[in-house]
PDB file of all heavy atoms in Angstrom:
ATOM      1  N   ILE A 207      -9.488  22.693   5.231  1.00 95.00           N
ATOM      2  CA  ILE A 207     -10.776  23.004   5.957  1.00 95.00           C
ATOM      3  C   ILE A 207     -11.962  22.443   5.250  1.00 95.00           C
ATOM      4  O   ILE A 207     -12.799  21.982   5.840  1.00 95.00           O
ATOM      5  CB  ILE A 207     -10.866  24.371   6.312  1.00 95.00           C
ATOM      6  CG1 ILE A 207     -12.083  24.581   7.289  1.00 95.00           C
ATOM      7  CG2 ILE A 207     -11.070  25.321   5.064  1.00 95.00           C
ATOM      8  CD1 ILE A 207     -11.786  24.001   8.715  1.00 95.00           C
ATOM      9  N   GLU A 208     -11.978  22.464   3.958  1.00 94.00           N
ATOM     10  CA  GLU A 208     -13.108  22.005   3.121  1.00 94.00           C
ATOM     11  C   GLU A 208     -13.465  20.533   3.447  1.00 94.00           C
ATOM     12  O   GLU A 208     -14.611  20.329   3.532  1.00 94.00           O
ATOM     13  CB  GLU A 208     -12.800  22.210   1.589  1.00 94.00           C
ATOM     14  CG  GLU A 208     -12.072  21.222   0.819  1.00 94.00           C
ATOM     15  CD  GLU A 208     -10.546  21.142   1.204  1.00 94.00           C
ATOM     16  OE1 GLU A 208     -10.084  21.956   1.974  1.00 94.00           O
ATOM     17  OE2 GLU A 208      -9.996  20.387   0.577  1.00 94.00           O
ATOM     18  N   CYS A 209     -12.428  19.708   3.643  1.00 95.00           N
ATOM     19  CA  CYS A 209     -12.800  18.298   3.888  1.00 95.00           C
ATOM     20  C   CYS A 209     -13.383  18.033   5.170  1.00 95.00           C
ATOM     21  O   CYS A 209     -14.268  17.325   5.333  1.00 95.00           O
ATOM     22  CB  CYS A 209     -11.610  17.458   3.642  1.00 95.00           C
ATOM     23  SG  CYS A 209     -11.273  17.024   1.909  1.00 95.00           S
ATOM     24  N   SER A 210     -12.880  18.781   6.231  1.00 96.00           N
ATOM     25  CA  SER A 210     -13.480  18.690   7.550  1.00 96.00           C
ATOM     26  C   SER A 210     -14.956  19.210   7.500  1.00 96.00           C
ATOM     27  O   SER A 210     -15.825  18.553   8.034  1.00 96.00           O
ATOM     28  CB  SER A 210     -12.768  19.741   8.496  1.00 96.00           C
ATOM     29  OG  SER A 210     -11.470  19.097   8.860  1.00 96.00           O
ATOM     30  N   ALA A 211     -15.173  20.300   6.693  1.00 96.00           N
ATOM     31  CA  ALA A 211     -16.509  20.932   6.539  1.00 96.00           C
ATOM     32  C   ALA A 211     -17.385  19.913   5.991  1.00 96.00           C
ATOM     33  O   ALA A 211     -18.604  19.694   6.352  1.00 96.00           O
ATOM     34  CB  ALA A 211     -16.476  22.295   6.000  1.00 96.00           C
ATOM     35  N   MET A 212     -16.930  19.390   4.800  1.00 96.00           N
ATOM     36  CA  MET A 212     -17.831  18.612   3.932  1.00 96.00           C
ATOM     37  C   MET A 212     -18.166  17.261   4.373  1.00 96.00           C
ATOM     38  O   MET A 212     -19.356  16.780   4.467  1.00 96.00           O
ATOM     39  CB  MET A 212     -17.194  18.451   2.476  1.00 96.00           C
ATOM     40  CG  MET A 212     -17.240  19.717   1.681  1.00 96.00           C
ATOM     41  SD  MET A 212     -16.518  19.411   0.085  1.00 96.00           S
ATOM     42  CE  MET A 212     -14.803  19.443   0.234  1.00 96.00           C
ATOM     43  N   SER A 213     -17.178  16.735   5.253  1.00 96.00           N
ATOM     44  CA  SER A 213     -17.313  15.415   5.839  1.00 96.00           C
ATOM     45  C   SER A 213     -18.364  15.605   6.894  1.00 96.00           C
ATOM     46  O   SER A 213     -19.292  14.870   7.144  1.00 96.00           O
ATOM     47  CB  SER A 213     -15.993  14.946   6.434  1.00 96.00           C
ATOM     48  OG  SER A 213     -16.197  13.902   7.374  1.00 96.00           O
ATOM     49  N   ARG A 214     -18.137  16.646   7.653  1.00 96.00           N
ATOM     50  CA  ARG A 214     -19.162  16.958   8.762  1.00 96.00           C
ATOM     51  C   ARG A 214     -20.528  17.273   8.378  1.00 96.00           C
ATOM     52  O   ARG A 214     -21.611  16.688   8.858  1.00 96.00           O
ATOM     53  CB  ARG A 214     -18.653  18.159   9.601  1.00 96.00           C
ATOM     54  CG  ARG A 214     -19.512  18.580  10.706  1.00 96.00           C
ATOM     55  CD  ARG A 214     -18.927  19.525  11.746  1.00 96.00           C
ATOM     56  NE  ARG A 214     -19.917  19.973  12.686  1.00 96.00           N
ATOM     57  CZ  ARG A 214     -20.600  21.094  12.402  1.00 96.00           C
ATOM     58  NH1 ARG A 214     -20.374  21.888  11.415  1.00 96.00           N
ATOM     59  NH2 ARG A 214     -21.602  21.510  13.334  1.00 96.00           N
ATOM     60  N   GLN A 215     -20.548  17.920   7.191  1.00 96.00           N
ATOM     61  CA  GLN A 215     -21.924  18.351   6.739  1.00 96.00           C
ATOM     62  C   GLN A 215     -22.662  17.034   6.210  1.00 96.00           C
ATOM     63  O   GLN A 215     -23.859  16.932   6.416  1.00 96.00           O
ATOM     64  CB  GLN A 215     -21.809  19.199   5.461  1.00 96.00           C
ATOM     65  CG  GLN A 215     -22.851  19.835   4.928  1.00 96.00           C
ATOM     66  CD  GLN A 215     -22.585  21.026   3.835  1.00 96.00           C
ATOM     67  OE1 GLN A 215     -22.347  20.682   2.771  1.00 96.00           O
ATOM     68  NE2 GLN A 215     -22.578  22.161   4.324  1.00 96.00           N
ATOM     69  N   GLU A 216     -21.940  16.190   5.483  1.00 97.00           N
ATOM     70  CA  GLU A 216     -22.588  15.016   4.915  1.00 97.00           C
ATOM     71  C   GLU A 216     -22.693  13.764   5.851  1.00 97.00           C
ATOM     72  O   GLU A 216     -23.638  13.020   5.702  1.00 97.00           O
ATOM     73  CB  GLU A 216     -21.917  14.565   3.641  1.00 97.00           C
ATOM     74  CG  GLU A 216     -22.000  15.620   2.579  1.00 97.00           C
ATOM     75  CD  GLU A 216     -23.368  16.030   2.140  1.00 97.00           C
ATOM     76  OE1 GLU A 216     -24.290  15.301   2.269  1.00 97.00           O
ATOM     77  OE2 GLU A 216     -23.469  17.209   1.615  1.00 97.00           O
ATOM     78  N   LEU A 217     -21.754  13.688   6.780  1.00 97.00           N
ATOM     79  CA  LEU A 217     -21.701  12.443   7.516  1.00 97.00           C
ATOM     80  C   LEU A 217     -21.821  12.738   9.069  1.00 97.00           C
ATOM     81  O   LEU A 217     -21.709  11.646   9.882  1.00 97.00           O
ATOM     82  CB  LEU A 217     -20.469  11.738   7.207  1.00 97.00           C
ATOM     83  CG  LEU A 217     -20.449  11.154   5.766  1.00 97.00           C
ATOM     84  CD1 LEU A 217     -18.941  10.768   5.492  1.00 97.00           C
ATOM     85  CD2 LEU A 217     -21.406  10.046   5.531  1.00 97.00           C
ATOM     86  N   GLY A 218     -21.668  13.902   9.522  1.00 96.00           N
ATOM     87  CA  GLY A 218     -21.688  14.105  10.914  1.00 96.00           C
ATOM     88  C   GLY A 218     -20.312  14.307  11.564  1.00 96.00           C
ATOM     89  O   GLY A 218     -19.275  14.323  10.848  1.00 96.00           O
ATOM     90  N   ASP A 219     -20.235  14.604  12.881  1.00 96.00           N
ATOM     91  CA  ASP A 219     -19.045  14.904  13.541  1.00 96.00           C
ATOM     92  C   ASP A 219     -17.923  13.786  13.462  1.00 96.00           C
ATOM     93  O   ASP A 219     -16.751  13.986  13.404  1.00 96.00           O
ATOM     94  CB  ASP A 219     -19.272  15.201  14.946  1.00 96.00           C
ATOM     95  CG  ASP A 219     -19.919  16.606  15.221  1.00 96.00           C
ATOM     96  OD1 ASP A 219     -19.953  17.218  14.077  1.00 96.00           O
ATOM     97  OD2 ASP A 219     -20.513  16.829  16.255  1.00 96.00           O
ATOM     98  N   GLN A 220     -18.375  12.590  13.488  1.00 96.00           N
ATOM     99  CA  GLN A 220     -17.502  11.393  13.563  1.00 96.00           C
ATOM    100  C   GLN A 220     -17.882  10.411  12.412  1.00 96.00           C
ATOM    101  O   GLN A 220     -19.133  10.121  12.204  1.00 96.00           O
ATOM    102  CB  GLN A 220     -17.493  10.717  14.836  1.00 96.00           C
ATOM    103  CG  GLN A 220     -16.889  11.513  15.978  1.00 96.00           C
ATOM    104  CD  GLN A 220     -16.911  10.815  17.317  1.00 96.00           C
ATOM    105  OE1 GLN A 220     -17.917  10.662  17.903  1.00 96.00           O
ATOM    106  NE2 GLN A 220     -15.681  10.459  17.789  1.00 96.00           N
ATOM    107  N   ILE A 221     -16.807   9.891  11.751  1.00 96.00           N
ATOM    108  CA  ILE A 221     -17.077   9.063  10.725  1.00 96.00           C
ATOM    109  C   ILE A 221     -16.405   7.690  10.926  1.00 96.00           C
ATOM    110  O   ILE A 221     -15.475   7.571  11.823  1.00 96.00           O
ATOM    111  CB  ILE A 221     -16.780   9.614   9.305  1.00 96.00           C
ATOM    112  CG1 ILE A 221     -15.218   9.799   9.150  1.00 96.00           C
ATOM    113  CG2 ILE A 221     -17.421  10.834   9.132  1.00 96.00           C
ATOM    114  CD1 ILE A 221     -14.866  10.334   7.746  1.00 96.00           C
ATOM    115  N   ASP A 222     -16.659   6.754  10.147  1.00 96.00           N
ATOM    116  CA  ASP A 222     -16.146   5.389  10.158  1.00 96.00           C
ATOM    117  C   ASP A 222     -14.730   5.312   9.373  1.00 96.00           C
ATOM    118  O   ASP A 222     -13.679   5.062   9.982  1.00 96.00           O
ATOM    119  CB  ASP A 222     -17.095   4.217   9.692  1.00 96.00           C
ATOM    120  CG  ASP A 222     -18.268   4.201  10.681  1.00 96.00           C
ATOM    121  OD1 ASP A 222     -18.039   3.927  11.829  1.00 96.00           O
ATOM    122  OD2 ASP A 222     -19.303   4.489  10.173  1.00 96.00           O
ATOM    123  N   ILE A 223     -14.913   5.529   8.191  1.00 96.00           N
ATOM    124  CA  ILE A 223     -13.713   5.506   7.218  1.00 96.00           C
ATOM    125  C   ILE A 223     -13.406   6.665   6.495  1.00 96.00           C
ATOM    126  O   ILE A 223     -14.244   7.402   5.964  1.00 96.00           O
ATOM    127  CB  ILE A 223     -13.927   4.293   6.159  1.00 96.00           C
ATOM    128  CG1 ILE A 223     -14.367   2.938   6.730  1.00 96.00           C
ATOM    129  CG2 ILE A 223     -12.815   4.238   5.284  1.00 96.00           C
ATOM    130  CD1 ILE A 223     -14.643   1.861   5.768  1.00 96.00           C
ATOM    131  N   HIS A 224     -12.201   7.149   6.561  1.00 95.00           N
ATOM    132  CA  HIS A 224     -11.670   8.290   5.832  1.00 95.00           C
ATOM    133  C   HIS A 224     -10.480   7.667   4.951  1.00 95.00           C
ATOM    134  O   HIS A 224      -9.622   7.180   5.430  1.00 95.00           O
ATOM    135  CB  HIS A 224     -11.281   9.390   6.703  1.00 95.00           C
ATOM    136  CG  HIS A 224     -11.074  10.671   6.086  1.00 95.00           C
ATOM    137  ND1 HIS A 224     -11.712  11.857   6.333  1.00 95.00           N
ATOM    138  CD2 HIS A 224     -10.375  11.049   4.960  1.00 95.00           C
ATOM    139  CE1 HIS A 224     -11.587  12.881   5.551  1.00 95.00           C
ATOM    140  NE2 HIS A 224     -10.588  12.417   4.706  1.00 95.00           N
ATOM    141  N   ALA A 225     -10.679   7.986   3.632  1.00 95.00           N
ATOM    142  CA  ALA A 225      -9.633   7.363   2.711  1.00 95.00           C
ATOM    143  C   ALA A 225      -9.176   8.356   1.877  1.00 95.00           C
ATOM    144  O   ALA A 225      -9.635   9.521   1.690  1.00 95.00           O
ATOM    145  CB  ALA A 225     -10.323   6.306   1.993  1.00 95.00           C
TER     146      ALA A 225
END
Side-chain angles (χ1 to χ4, degrees):
Chain A
I207 189 67
E208 83 285 5
C209 278
S210 285
M212 291 185 278
S213 169
R214 176 167 171 265
Q215 186 171 82
E216 299 298 339
L217 296 169
D219 288 347
Q220 291 181 291
I221 68 174
D222 294 298
I223 300 174
H224 195 120

